[in-house]
Amino acid sequence: MSAVDDRLHQTSPIRSLRLGDVTVTYVPDGEVRLKPYGWLPQSTELDWRDDAAYLAEDGNLVASVGGLLVEHHGRALLIDAGLGPVSRPDDPGNPMIGLVRGGDLLDNLAELGRRPADVEAVAITHLHFDHVGWVVHPGPGGGAAFPEAAYLVSAPEWEHRHLSAIEGARVGQFDAMASRVRTFGDGEEVFPGVRTMFTPGHTIGNTSYVIASGGLRLVVFGDVMHSPVQIRHPDWPVGADLDPVQAAASRRRVLAELLRPDTLGYGGHFADVVFGRLTETLAGLSWQPAL
């Protein structure tokens, strides 16, 4: 097994990249195990023989869960807010999701020298439970985990938030966020060097973010893809996608963006290869770890 294969079977620790005058850091919160035949329902036993390197010893895909801290001249934005304090063992009756474990985000922020109050905004890719955990769960001492933060959500995602009220993220909790939600449109700058890019399909308002600084770009593509195996199979439907056809089109769009010069990618669920470069060879597309 190669060193990269090994990293597909474990979650990511804290990892940082510098883009000009912007620093981006993956802040771990926990993990989710994804059941391959349920999460990717068109995949077959033959497929997984060819792609066995992506599966951990338990036969599942390892998905890191956390947030991306974006720092610019002392200011701090967090993209996505993890699972929050939750622990759930594998449920054999759930065809898509196995083990769920979260709760490390605030401790890891502290390790980076950041208090929750330092985060001026939480930019959310979409409203599923593993991206809003510290927003919809009460923080230490009660109330929001990020007391000074606005919640940035795409206008269509917020308007149709009832469609994302699954797996622990409930409409009532979303409504409790409402006074601090700021909605945005496609292509808006929400933080210095950070622009929105609508990539719908997984949810109605699923949003990627493009961070540009120092001549480099980082495409933060959220749940457009959950595992590097999807780079090999972008047209495979995902069991959790609201609109599988539109989701596949968004995957193809993101892959084209990642092939542009001076462009890196961030896949927050990509096990321990969350930062990477997309390369194209005669054998096809390949995700190469950037760190």
Side-chain angles (χ1 to χ4, degrees):
M1 180 181 293
S2 73
V4 172
D5 288 348
D6 238 359
R7 291 175 61 179
L8 294 172
H9 304 163
Q10 61 197 34
T11 57
S12 177
I14 293 172
R15 293 193 181 276
S16 292
L17 276 177
R18 184 82 178 174
L19 307 169
D21 58 1
V22 173
T23 299
V24 294
T25 303
Y26 171 69
V27 188
D29 189 48
E31 67 176 308
V32 172
R33 297 293 176 110
L34 304 175
K35 300 180 180 181
Y37 295 105
W39 197 260
L40 299 165
Q42 282 192 5
S43 65
T44 67
E45 186 177 348
L46 180 59
D47 292 323
W48 291 113
R49 275 190 225 146
D50 292 340
D51 292 323
Y54 295 92
L55 301 179
E57 287 185 2
D58 65 359
N60 293 328
L61 297 160
V62 174
S64 291
V65 180
L68 185 69
L69 180 67
V70 184
E71 297 175 287
H72 178 269
H73 295 315
R75 296 174 61 185
L77 169 80
L78 187 68
I79 298 178
D80 285 334
L83 282 155
V86 60
S87 180
R88 193 173 73 206
D90 182 19
D91 175 6
N94 188 322
M96 291 194 294
I97 298 175
L99 174 147
V100 175
R101 180 191 61 79
D104 298 338
L105 186 76
L106 300 190
D107 288 342
N108 284 316
L109 275 176
E111 186 172 330
L112 292 164
R114 285 292 188 180
R115 302 169 302 130
D118 296 335
V119 176
E120 67 179 66
V122 178
I124 296 167
T125 57
H126 64 294
L127 290 169
H128 282 174
F129 77 115
D130 54 327
H131 295 259
V132 297
W134 285 103
V135 168
V136 300
H137 283 279
F146 300 99
E148 306 299 324
Y151 305 138
L152 311 181
V153 186
S154 79
E157 185 78 354
W158 186 248
E159 180 182 356
H160 301 285
R161 55 192 178 275
H162 62 284
L163 297 176
S164 295
I166 60 171
E167 289 287 347
R170 307 299 181 196
V171 169
Q173 291 171 309
F174 294 153
D175 291 344
M177 297 166 51
S179 64
R180 293 166 63 184
V181 166
R182 296 203 322 249
T183 59
F184 54 72
D186 194 13
E188 288 190 30
E189 186 173 56
V190 294
F191 189 76
V194 181
R195 289 195 176 274
T196 64
M197 181 174 74
F198 282 6
T199 45
H202 183 60
T203 64
I204 197 166
N206 192 69
T207 301
S208 299
Y209 296 88
V210 180
I211 304 172
S213 183
L216 296 173
R217 300 165 73 242
L218 178 72
V219 180
V220 179
F221 51 81
D223 280 16
V224 172
M225 290 178 281
H226 303 83
S227 166
V229 73
Q230 291 172 277
I231 288 169
R232 291 167 50 84
H233 306 282
D235 292 324
W236 273 357
V238 172
D241 283 346
L242 181 68
D243 184 333
V245 173
Q246 194 170 47
S250 288
R251 278 192 288 280
R252 290 191 294 271
R253 179 188 178 189
V254 164
L255 291 173
E257 289 287 335
L258 291 171
L259 286 171
R260 288 177 54 182
D262 302 313
T263 298
L264 301 170
Y266 167 78
H269 289 317
F270 274 27
D272 187 18
V273 290
V274 291
F275 292 111
R277 294 180 179 84
L278 191 63
T279 62
E280 190 169 23
T281 68
L282 292 176
L285 298 176
S286 175
W287 181 257
Q288 298 298 321
L291 292 171

